Amino acid sequence: LESAGPDRRADVLAADREVRAAKAARNLARAELLPGLAFRLNYGHENGEPLVHPGLAVTVPLFQHGQESRALARAREDRAKVELERIENAATAEVEGLDKVLQLAGLAADSLAARALPRVAESEGMLRESYRAGKLDLPALLLVRRDLLDTRREYLDRLLDAALAGIDLAVARGHFQ
């Protein structure tokens, strides 16, 4: 999962396609500077005879040289490039932030597993022994047991946080597109 970057995300791919479309529109606008060529075939009658006049038609842009369309295409391409850069930067920042969240969530779960869970198991053993020996009544047993279960629930919550952070990171990297 780590190899893929935010460049696989749908929003980044869409912005990249917009840049490509703007480049194509700019190339098309450049072509408007060239004169248009067309083959012609005139057909008519003269003195009862059919006449066919093949020819070539050339349109010369006297007043309209495509300046407006080239300027619009250039502006569209520039805007698309800026938008692509903005989206890529936002996606990279999101991935870096979620990677940090995943690391911290994993550290929190590992810390609870290393420090608290062995003490919970030890405490449960001592609690059972105290109850069997009659040193502890049932309400006290249940109260302490609830606290121990809260510690286990806290550990499971940290594991859930880490798993959800991993899913968020995978989505931000574009794995589920």
Side-chain angles (χ1 to χ4, degrees):
L1 289 178
E2 298 235 358
S3 63
D7 56 335
R8 292 182 55 203
R9 291 169 45 138
D11 54 348
V12 175
L13 291 174
D16 183 56
R17 296 307 186 268
E18 180 64 28
V19 169
R20 288 183 185 186
K23 284 181 182 178
R26 188 172 179 189
N27 290 337
L28 182 63
R30 283 186 194 146
E32 290 180 5
L33 186 60
L34 302 173
L37 298 175
F39 293 105
R40 295 183 59 162
L41 186 60
N42 293 334
Y43 182 77
H45 293 280
E46 188 173 306
N47 297 330
E49 297 280 325
L51 291 177
V52 177
H53 296 285
L56 182 66
V58 178
T59 58
V60 180
L62 294 177
F63 301 106
Q64 177 71 315
H65 300 287
Q67 303 95 322
E68 179 184 2
S69 59
R70 283 195 309 275
L72 287 173
R74 189 175 328 115
R76 178 182 174 199
E77 183 179 3
D78 291 344
R79 183 204 52 80
K81 285 179 181 178
V82 168
E83 183 68 11
L84 174 62
E85 184 177 348
R86 183 194 65 78
I87 289 173
E88 285 176 337
N89 289 339
T92 301
E94 182 182 6
V95 166
E96 289 172 0
L98 288 172
D99 191 36
K100 192 67 163 173
V101 167
L102 176 61
Q103 289 175 5
L104 293 174
L107 286 175
D110 292 344
S111 176
L112 273 174
R115 294 182 180 165
L117 291 184
R119 288 190 174 89
V120 166
E122 180 183 328
S123 297
E124 283 181 340
M126 290 174 21
L127 187 66
R128 277 193 299 264
E129 287 177 21
S130 296
Y131 181 71
R132 285 185 190 140
K135 296 178 184 177
L136 199 62
D137 61 348
L138 184 60
L141 170 80
L142 294 176
L143 184 66
V144 174
R145 179 107 170 114
R146 185 190 69 196
D147 290 341
L148 294 174
L149 289 175
D150 284 344
T151 303
R152 285 190 180 190
R153 184 188 45 78
E154 183 67 26
Y155 170 67
L156 293 175
D157 285 346
R158 295 299 71 82
L159 284 178
L160 177 64
D161 291 344
L164 292 175
I167 291 170
D168 289 343
L169 180 60
V171 168
R173 286 185 172 153
H175 288 290
F176 301 118
Q177 300 297 325

